[in-house]
Amino acid sequence: MELVCPAGTPAALRAAVEAGAHSVYCGFADETNARNFPGLNFSRPELAEGVAFAHRHGAKVLVAINTFPRAGDEAIWHRAVADAEKAGVDAVILADIGLLAHAAKHHPKLRRNLSVQAAAANADVINFYAREFGVSRVVLPRVLTVAEIAAINRETEVETEVFVFGGLCVMAEGRCSLSSYATGQSPNMNGVCSPASEVEYVQEGAQLAARLGNFTIHRVGASEPAPYPTLCKGCFTSGDETGHIFEDAVSLNATELLPQLKKAGVTALKIEGRQRSRSYVAQVVRSFRAAVDALEAGRPMPTSALAALSEGQASTTGAYAKTWR
Amino acid sequence: MDLTLGPIQFFWEAPRIRDFYARIADEAPVARVVLGELVCSKRLPFWQGEIPVAVERLKAAGKEVWLTSLALVTLKRERQLTEELVDAGVGVEISDLTTLAYLPKGTPFSVSPLINVYNIGTLDWLAERGAKRICLPNELPLASAAKLAAAGAERGVAVEVWGFGRQPLAISGRCYHARLHNRSKDSCQFICNADPDGREVDTLDGERFLAVNGVQTLSAATSFAGGEIGALAAAQVSALRLSPQTGNMVALAREFEAAIAAGKAGPALEAAARAAAPGGQLANGYLRGHAGAEWAPA
């Protein structure tokens, strides 16, 4: 299986490639991609250099242009697709149907992958995207079980890519405006979710409240860790219940499911984390590459290396297990 | 500008649904009604029989009728349901692009606010495919809505904006109603029917923030575009969408109709909106380019 690894910066790209990434994915330093964070992403010359470096090492570069273009400013997104092709990237990752139609028409030779932001969650819609826009691969939304993924692969020729590690969306991706409801900025429009510019930590006596926009997302005691206030991982009250109504402060770790995902016909495994440091990226990529190589060779999984990855943090296999729902 | 009544997002009992559409047919000045199960396919068997009854009743009253698809189609059964919609003899409103896999090219269809229409390239593609109406995503500011409405007007596509109702903010594979009751989605026992306006989720400070409705998450505040009626009409927006809550939707539609005719909203419309909104809480931040939860008086 192909290992698709995050590259938030040129340094992280090199680290991921050297650690054994088969592919890296990255974005331009603007609102055209869904990790539009300060200090992150690539200029045009950096992308060209990154592509050259990756190709020298036999790795591919995929460019995410996966926000939804703003009416009247479509040219910014069109230029991103054209510049990605010019830089020699191996594929673009798109979500918006207008942008997919544009790319199919004006850049027919540029490989098109369907972003998780399109939330294509069944074989019929995946085949529809293939028919209409010539997509070669789909990144599946995190609402499906392993059995459902296997069923999709039986009914489509389109390659499937699934998230196996890192941040976890609880909602169908590209169809969530919780962030903009609280802050005015969203993944779809601005490439950010629960943005840091809207976060405030407020000391309240012995407690620390984390606020997003005008809303308290959680509150912890002095000795407890204070997680980042991502809205869907927050602590709320409904009726008599107080707690993590949507999801706990966990991240995804599907390492134990790698053999099942392979059996389900998955082509590529994706690691989330373009906002993470290059040393983190290198460590995670190295562990996953060892696991994937072992799997392909029929050797036992290097469980200790994988277990070390999630030390000290709560993790889940998310929707891959039916009971999560 | 006229009025569209959107699908009931919540799990209402069949008798309530029958009464609701009978009253809408007889009394509400809405030009069209979109109905059907939007949120959860498990609910549908409980009220499916009401759909043909409501369609006939509404058509007889001169309303245009569209049937919505599910918002998130994953299971085989859901794909079949979606495919069957195409042959129901009523126009389809797509709430998941899966529907287009079954709709022959050129068949007229409507587009729900849950489809990501953020720009003119997407509007063009949908128009070419057969879209006649598009209700824009809630989070779009007025500036974007105006550009899309103008593009729609040129291409013969009616562009609609959310006018009233708790806003659909997210859809998930996980059922939050079941989770709140320590049940799994598969053994939910249809507990979402206890909350016909959704179950409220407050912040730890006790602020009313969100509402859950099975696999759907909505705003706790009811979005209300009354203050923007003049600007929306000037921007060639062709309809406002009213999303059913348990409050008095007929009275609300009448006040909306009067405000549209007058070109602006008076205090009577806002009063009707507050009366129909769960908890009387309104928001209008999105159209102003702010956080959706914000409220600024007209």
Side-chain angles (χ1 to χ4, degrees):
Chain A
M1 284 187 288
E2 176 184 331
L3 202 54
V4 182
C5 307
T9 61
L13 181 146
R14 291 191 295 273
V17 168
E18 283 168 348
H22 298 112
S23 299
V24 292
Y25 65 100
C26 55
F28 289 119
D30 58 30
E31 62 205 317
T32 62
N33 84 93
R35 287 287 183 281
N36 179 26
F37 300 163
L40 223 56
N41 297 314
F42 287 63
S43 69
R44 267 60 176 174
E46 283 170 344
L47 181 64
E49 284 164 27
V51 169
F53 180 87
H55 286 176
R56 273 203 304 281
H57 290 78
K60 292 179 174 159
V61 176
L62 320 175
V63 174
I65 307 171
N66 58 348
T67 49
F68 294 82
R70 187 167 50 248
D73 290 328
E74 289 89 344
I76 297 171
W77 280 260
H78 293 172
R79 206 155 52 232
V81 175
D83 290 348
E85 183 170 47
K86 218 181 299 166
V89 307
D90 299 280
V92 286
I93 308 169
L94 310 177
D96 179 64
I97 54 179
L99 194 59
L100 279 160
H102 172 89
K105 185 171 176 195
H106 297 281
H107 307 277
K109 292 193 178 127
L110 179 60
R111 186 178 150 104
R112 292 173 294 284
N113 291 359
L114 189 65
S115 170
V116 71
Q117 294 293 108
N122 65 69
D124 292 333
V125 75
I126 291 166
N127 289 331
F128 162 81
Y129 275 105
R131 209 159 55 235
E132 297 292 334
F133 309 112
V135 304
S136 304
R137 177 181 294 183
V138 54
V139 186
L140 294 175
R142 284 162 275 195
V143 297
L144 300 167
T145 63
V146 175
E148 286 162 1
I149 292 169
I152 285 173
N153 279 320
R154 285 195 291 274
E155 291 187 70
T156 185
E157 296 298 309
V158 177
E159 298 173 0
T160 55
E161 177 174 313
V162 301
F163 279 91
V164 288
F165 196 79
L168 169 78
C169 273
V170 184
M171 310 298 180
E173 294 91 340
R175 310 190 68 185
C176 177
S177 41
L178 286 171
S179 176
S180 63
Y181 185 67
T183 72
Q185 297 184 64
S186 74
N188 286 6
M189 293 191 295
N190 313 95
V192 296
C193 172
S194 307
S197 58
E198 297 287 325
V199 170
E200 196 187 358
Y201 290 93
V202 185
Q203 195 69 46
E204 297 171 346
Q207 291 194 309
L208 185 68
R211 292 173 66 80
L212 180 71
N214 292 321
F215 301 99
T216 296
I217 301 301
H218 55 70
R219 186 176 278 131
V220 294
S223 58
E224 297 170 76
Y228 187 87
T230 304
L231 205 161
C232 60
K233 316 286 185 338
C235 189
F236 305 105
T237 297
S238 181
D240 298 336
E241 300 282 332
T242 292
H244 295 92
I245 305 275
F246 303 102
E247 180 57 290
D248 302 328
V250 292
S251 58
L252 175 68
N253 184 356
T255 48
E256 63 183 78
L257 300 175
L258 295 186
Q260 285 170 258
L261 290 168
K262 180 178 162 63
K263 213 169 149 198
V266 166
T267 299
L269 306 173
K270 186 165 213 158
I271 297 168
E272 187 275 345
R274 284 193 275 154
Q275 69 285 12
R276 307 301 291 260
S277 72
R278 74 183 151 167
S279 59
Y280 167 92
V281 168
Q283 190 208 351
V284 173
V285 172
R286 211 172 291 121
S287 302
F288 268 92
R289 178 60 191 265
V292 169
D293 285 350
L295 200 56
E296 300 292 346
R299 292 194 309 266
M301 296 271 285
T303 40
S304 56
L306 294 171
L309 290 179
S310 48
E311 246 170 46
Q313 55 181 350
S315 69
T316 173
T317 57
Y320 295 138
K322 204 175 183 189
T323 47
W324 179 85
R325 288 170 175 171
Chain B
M1 203 155 65
D2 60 20
L3 298 172
T4 299
L5 186 77
I8 299 166
Q9 303 187 91
F10 310 97
F11 188 11
W12 290 4
E13 307 282 350
R16 181 196 278 265
I17 291 173
R18 180 175 294 208
D19 291 348
F20 178 75
Y21 284 121
R23 219 178 142 213
I24 292 294
D26 293 346
E27 300 175 48
V30 297
R32 68 195 66 74
V33 176
V34 184
L35 75 166
E37 183 55 55
L38 177 70
V39 172
C40 181
S41 62
K42 289 180 67 180
R43 300 169 178 174
L44 186 57
F46 291 91
W47 72 280
Q48 200 162 14
E50 297 303 326
I51 294 176
V53 178
V55 168
E56 286 319 308
R57 185 90 191 242
L58 290 161
K59 276 187 173 170
K63 313 290 188 204
E64 196 182 309
V65 179
W66 300 81
L67 282 182
T68 183
S69 81
L70 285 166
L72 179 64
V73 177
T74 58
L75 308 174
K76 187 121 199 159
R77 176 170 50 84
E78 294 168 346
R79 288 155 67 192
Q80 272 161 5
L81 276 173
T82 309
E83 190 165 7
E84 284 162 17
L85 270 186
V86 170
D87 300 321
V90 179
V92 176
E93 174 159 296
I94 63 166
S95 293
D96 181 311
L97 282 177
T98 303
T99 322
L100 288 186
Y102 315 119
L103 263 187
K105 206 169 175 179
T107 310
F109 63 93
S110 173
V111 179
S112 106
L114 302 180
I115 299 291
N116 288 328
V117 185
Y118 284 86
N119 56 70
I120 292 156
T122 297
L123 183 143
D124 269 340
W125 190 89
L126 290 167
E128 186 133 320
R129 179 87 197 191
K132 297 297 170 210
R133 313 191 56 82
I134 297 176
C135 184
L136 298 177
N138 288 318
E139 68 174 8
L140 279 178
L142 184 56
S144 293
K147 290 193 179 98
L148 289 161
E154 278 173 27
R155 293 158 179 81
V157 177
V159 169
E160 192 172 306
V161 164
W162 192 268
F164 174 91
R166 282 189 157 164
Q167 315 190 64
L169 298 177
I171 188 104
S172 176
R174 174 177 261 182
C175 176
Y176 303 111
H177 255 97
R179 182 171 155 87
L180 276 162
H181 289 266
N182 294 314
R183 294 173 191 167
S184 74
K185 184 181 175 188
D186 284 350
S187 52
C188 67
Q189 298 169 51
F190 309 101
I191 190 64
C192 58
N193 77 352
D195 299 294
D197 280 309
R199 176 167 169 166
E200 291 186 8
V201 173
D202 301 341
T203 68
L204 294 176
D205 301 325
E207 277 180 282
R208 304 164 78 243
F209 186 30
L210 301 169
V212 296
N213 170 37
V215 293
Q216 186 187 43
T217 304
L218 302 121
S219 60
T222 295
S223 175
F224 172 60
E228 283 75 24
I229 279 181
L232 290 167
Q236 304 184 66
V237 168
S238 80
L240 294 177
R241 174 164 298 215
L242 312 183
S243 183
Q245 304 288 163
T246 57
N248 190 338
M249 297 300 293
V250 169
L252 179 72
R254 286 180 180 148
E255 291 300 340
F256 260 106
E257 184 195 38
I260 289 169
K264 63 178 168 59
L269 175 58
E270 190 180 318
R274 282 203 190 277
Q281 184 190 7
L282 301 179
N284 59 5
Y286 276 139
L287 278 173
R288 293 159 186 241
H290 299 155
E294 285 181 17
W295 168 252

